[in-house]
Amino acid sequence: MKSNPFEGKSAEIKFDSGLQFRIDFLPDNQLRWTSIREEDAGATDVESIHFEEYPGGIYSIDWVEESGLCVSYTVDVPNNYVKSFMTFTDENYRGGRRPFTHEGPFHFITENS
């Protein structure tokens, strides 16, 4: 398994869909997401991630949540931007999976910011 160059870092994401997260990159290819929207009351979980690095500061971060939600982030570090493609169970859609996309700013943060 490839190592995660973001390990030990945290980031904030504010998607155009209204979803907002703090992402903490943990050891052993783990990621903790925490919603920072008031209405989500700090919902959080830890996921095992697959991490890939591409030329130009582009990264792919992917995981499958316990609920079956599949998440894929494409992070453009030089431009502080992320696009996300997710799928979740919905019998009314092709293959029983509904797609959902959103995008927005991605910023690394420190504990003091």
Side-chain angles (χ1 to χ4, degrees), residues 10 12 22 107-113:
S10 297
E12 184 176 271
R22 175 190 169 115
H107 296 282
F108 286 113
I109 57 175
T110 63
E111 289 303 315
N112 297 328
S113 53

Side-chain angles (χ1 to χ4, degrees), residues 49-54 58-62 72-75:
I49 61 173
H50 301 273
F51 203 94
E52 191 68 45
E53 182 175 358
Y54 301 99
I58 307 295
Y59 298 85
S60 177
I61 305 165
D62 309 293
S72 181
Y73 284 178
T74 301
V75 180

Side-chain angles (χ1 to χ4, degrees), residues 85-103:
F85 177 83
M86 304 183 321
T87 68
F88 53 93
T89 303
D90 186 329
E91 297 304 321
N92 295 319
Y93 279 79
R94 183 178 184 170
R97 305 287 301 175
R98 177 191 293 248
F100 179 72
T101 61
H102 51 186
E103 57 190 277

Side-chain angles (χ1 to χ4, degrees), residues 15-72:
F15 286 115
D16 58 0
S17 64
L19 296 175
Q20 299 178 16
F21 298 98
R22 175 190 169 115
I23 304 293
D24 299 301
F25 295 95
L26 308 172
D28 301 320
N29 287 321
Q30 300 283 299
L31 173 147
R32 177 177 44 246
W33 59 264
T34 304
S35 177
I36 54 176
R37 297 186 321 164
E38 285 184 29
E39 58 265 38
D40 294 333
T44 189
D45 209 347
V46 174
E47 312 296 347
S48 294
I49 61 173
H50 301 273
F51 203 94
E52 191 68 45
E53 182 175 358
Y54 301 99
I58 307 295
Y59 298 85
S60 177
I61 305 165
D62 309 293
W63 68 90
V64 179
E65 298 187 1
E66 185 176 345
S67 68
L69 177 73
C70 297
V71 181
S72 181

